[in-house]
Amino acid sequence: MDNTTGALSSGSDPGFRDFSVQLRRVTLEMSLVQRRGRGFALRDGIAAASRVPRRMTVLDDVSLTIGRGERVGVIGHNGAGKTALLRIVAGIYPPTAGACETRGRVSCLFNTALHGYGDATALEFIVLVGLTRGLSRKQVSSRIPAIARFSEIRGHIHAPIRTLSKGMRTRLSFAIAICIDWDVLILDEEIGTSDLRFLAKARRRIKDAEDGKTLMVASHNSRVIRDLCDRAVWIHKGRIRASGGVDELLAAYRAHHTKRRRDLEQTGG
Amino acid sequence: MRSLGVAFAVGASDIVRSFRRTSLWATPGWFDFILAYRRTLLGPFWETVAMALWVGGLGVVFSYSLGAGDTQYLAYVSVGVVVWFYMSSLATTSANLFRSKDSLILSTNNPSYTYVLRHIVASMARALWHVPVLVAVLAMSAWPSPLQMMLSVLGGAGILLTSLWVAALIGLAGTRFADAHHGLSLAMRFLFFATPVFWRADALGGRSMIAKANPFTHFLDVVRAPLLGEPVADGAWTVVLATNAVGIVLTVLIYGQYNRRLVFWL
């Protein structure tokens, strides 16, 4: 497997028989609605109403197989298509073309938004988010102590969630995501905002998960990718540019960054 | 575009799956309502107070100006206003029902119709707090018999059935077209005066067709007439049932056709 050899490949498809996630030639197009007028005059309103949405290819013919038990980091610039890729795997975005198969229960953390529950207590927040993640009341109740302990918010369990710090909310959202029964865990960016101590704790928890649990994490934070993953995929302009061992891929990504910055400096861009 | 058969099957499947997964909409819907009052002194009883003021204000002002100064008229107004507020607020707030839950929709893979059910639960919870006003006014006028109450509840079920497809349709339209919310708010304000909520359709005399052509008149009538011991107008139930039959089929088709695109409209 390429993750053990560390060799980079421009494709990303080791032939797993026992896979957790498989994308076959997935393309995702979205309409990019651009407002022509900038003001509030009637002609701007008419221009906005008569706009023609521009089709934007977010993911372009992506094929990717992730074996059961793999921990894959997704890297790439802002707007490269990382979140779109994860949302397709989570079943949130339907692909425009191609197919995606995700096997097993999926748990995901795409944001740490309060979902309109700002005035709920942390305890109620756990229940509400747990329910919307498909757990029953009984299942949520049985997980509350573990979630409160892992997120280290036991002293704030009856406080309104809006009063918790951003870090506490991130920990809580992560704890809910990881305490739900999952076979595939999808983490998008937010985990990268955690402090180093919590990151180490999260890493231990993920590594302690039973064999066969699959992780996909998108982050700009190379430490997160290095700590949590054993394979990386580099998305560039909606396509998979490379896939391989974490250290090699991060080094290639960094080199690309440095070259790009140098080119921009030379051209005065 | 999907064929009509496929669209219907997809729409029906999403809706059926949503009904089955009660944990996704029952408790969350209740919290959507109750959390709005979490930091207030009166809590959801603000709804009761507001409704009492509406009914009291309309009842007092129009009972004299329309020459119907009795408790029967107050009962007529109170049932009318309670039912109208449910229908009106459901219609206007539905335009934002998906947009207001965008962070959840874009982070979970739940059937999208669960958000419609959740919105209806919140709207019904709100209407529940209007009921004490209704009970008080009915106790002052003439308390309906169990049979009358049952017939009125049946009318309420007709409105609930309508909510199930109207909220979904408006929700989709409101997510795709940002103007929908504003247009609906305007339309409902106008329709409040154009619907016999606080005036009687027969008071229009030869022009009562204006009221009869308005479907809201019939939805009000199937709930209100039995409670007041009056016969339901001819054709009211036909309008309610026919509207629901057409609306449900149309909604399942539209829902099946467009619910996949919902996530891209947010």
Side-chain angles (χ1 to χ4, degrees):
Chain A
M1 295 203 306
D2 61 350
N3 55 326
T4 51
T5 59
L8 294 186
S9 61
S10 56
S12 56
D13 234 346
F16 293 107
R17 277 191 200 150
D18 190 12
F19 65 84
S20 271
V21 176
Q22 190 169 62
L23 288 93
R24 294 184 291 276
R25 309 202 63 178
V26 164
T27 294
L28 179 68
E29 289 182 351
M30 289 167 88
S31 295
L32 185 69
V33 178
Q34 286 175 317
R35 192 182 160 107
R36 287 188 205 121
R38 290 170 144 257
F40 294 97
L42 184 60
R43 65 170 184 279
D44 296 322
I46 292 167
S50 62
R51 66 200 176 232
V52 180
R54 188 163 64 84
R55 298 294 284 174
M56 188 176 73
T57 303
V58 181
L59 290 175
D60 186 10
D61 200 21
V62 170
S63 291
L64 174 69
T65 304
I66 297 173
R68 206 161 70 86
E70 268 204 294
R71 301 167 204 279
V72 177
V74 183
I75 57 172
H77 298 301
N78 285 334
K82 305 186 293 296
T83 301
L85 176 77
L86 296 189
R87 285 203 171 121
I88 283 186
V89 172
I92 296 165
Y93 282 164
T96 311
C100 174
E101 187 181 345
T102 305
R103 291 176 176 173
R105 294 157 298 183
V106 177
S107 177
C108 36
L109 175 60
F110 280 99
N111 55 55
T112 55
L114 298 182
H115 309 306
Y117 301 140
D119 281 316
T121 64
L123 183 65
E124 289 168 335
F125 184 80
I126 295 170
V127 172
L128 289 166
V129 175
L131 290 175
T132 49
R133 296 284 165 89
L135 296 183
S136 66
R137 278 297 283 263
K138 205 172 157 188
Q139 287 171 324
V140 179
S141 300
S142 67
R143 285 164 173 80
I144 287 171
I147 292 171
R149 199 169 43 245
F150 188 79
S151 58
E152 303 164 14
I153 58 142
R154 272 183 293 183
H156 304 270
I157 199 82
H158 298 294
I161 192 78
R162 66 186 156 74
T163 64
L164 268 58
S165 70
K166 169 85 174 146
M168 286 166 122
R169 287 181 206 166
T170 305
R171 294 204 302 263
L172 182 57
S173 299
F174 179 79
I176 295 171
I178 205 162
C179 288
I180 289 173
D181 296 332
W182 53 273
D183 299 302
V184 180
L185 179 64
I186 296 172
L187 305 173
D188 184 23
E189 303 285 1
E190 293 291 345
I191 188 68
T193 62
S194 306
D195 59 40
L196 292 176
R197 191 182 58 81
F198 187 73
L199 201 58
K201 192 173 167 181
R203 184 188 59 204
R204 276 199 304 278
R205 180 66 188 252
I206 289 169
K207 299 247 174 187
D208 288 348
E210 311 160 32
D211 282 346
K213 302 284 188 187
T214 306
L215 171 74
M216 279 186 87
V217 52
S219 182
H220 289 292
N221 187 334
S222 52
R223 188 188 175 102
V224 170
I225 301 289
R226 204 172 280 123
D227 277 359
L228 299 180
C229 306
D230 46 30
R231 178 183 162 204
V233 174
W234 177 4
I235 305 278
H236 186 69
K237 292 182 180 173
R239 301 189 78 118
I240 293 182
R241 183 165 181 145
S243 164
V246 170
D247 290 331
E248 292 79 1
L249 207 79
L250 283 174
Y253 182 60
R254 227 179 356 257
H256 168 80
H257 248 306
T258 311
K259 184 178 177 302
R260 197 161 166 247
R261 198 170 52 238
R262 210 174 290 135
D263 291 347
L264 280 172
E265 281 167 4
Q266 279 172 2
T267 55
Chain B
M1 288 284 278
R2 289 168 166 152
S3 71
L4 286 184
V6 173
F8 194 87
V10 170
S13 153
D14 187 277
I15 291 168
V16 169
R17 275 191 303 139
S18 300
F19 269 107
R20 284 188 184 145
R21 298 182 67 181
T22 47
S23 64
L24 293 178
W25 50 269
T27 307
W30 169 254
F31 269 87
D32 283 346
F33 165 70
I34 208 77
L35 285 176
Y37 302 94
R38 181 52 65 85
R39 284 192 268 175
T40 63
L41 193 66
L42 293 184
F45 284 102
W46 271 114
E47 289 293 335
T48 317
V49 172
M51 183 50 67
L53 285 174
W54 264 98
V55 169
L58 282 173
V60 169
V61 172
F62 288 99
S63 63
Y64 293 108
S65 63
L66 297 177
D70 53 22
T71 51
Q72 179 75 0
Y73 175 71
L74 199 62
Y76 180 87
V77 170
S78 61
V79 184
V81 172
V82 167
V83 175
W84 175 262
F85 266 54
Y86 172 75
M87 294 193 294
S88 168
S89 72
L90 183 90
T92 48
T93 55
S94 290
N96 279 333
L97 84 89
F98 292 118
R99 281 173 190 266
S100 65
K101 295 283 172 279
D102 58 350
S103 64
L104 262 181
I105 295 171
L106 290 173
S107 59
T108 50
N109 178 22
N110 294 329
S112 53
Y113 192 76
T114 54
Y115 297 97
V116 176
L117 291 173
R118 179 179 170 154
H119 183 66
I120 292 170
V121 168
S123 299
M124 283 175 64
R126 189 171 179 226
L128 208 64
W129 256 263
H130 297 157
V131 171
V133 178
L134 206 61
V135 170
V137 172
L138 286 175
M140 281 194 296
S141 54
W143 191 253
S145 69
L147 179 68
Q148 289 170 324
M149 273 199 219
M150 218 173 69
L151 288 172
S152 180
V153 168
L154 208 61
I159 292 180
L160 179 62
L161 192 63
T162 314
S163 311
L164 294 172
W165 60 268
V166 164
L169 267 191
I170 295 176
L172 277 179
T175 313
R176 178 65 184 83
F177 306 104
D179 298 86
H181 174 69
H182 301 284
L184 267 165
S185 300
L186 191 70
M188 295 313 285
R189 257 177 273 166
F190 166 76
L191 281 167
F192 176 66
F193 295 103
T195 306
V197 177
F198 57 93
W199 50 269
R200 285 186 178 273
D202 48 23
L204 293 177
R207 292 179 182 170
S208 64
M209 273 309 289
I210 296 171
K212 283 182 183 163
N214 177 356
F216 286 106
T217 305
H218 305 289
F219 280 92
L220 272 178
D221 200 48
V222 294
V223 179
R224 182 163 56 186
L227 273 185
L228 303 180
E230 295 170 3
V232 175
D234 289 343
W237 268 111
T238 312
V239 171
V240 170
L241 294 176
T243 311
N244 275 324
V246 174
I248 288 168
V249 173
L250 204 68
T251 302
V252 175
L253 279 174
I254 293 175
Y255 211 75
Q257 196 66 262
Y258 294 106
N259 75 337
R260 267 166 65 99
R261 297 191 197 173
L262 188 69
V263 282
F264 302 119
W265 293 342
L266 290 168

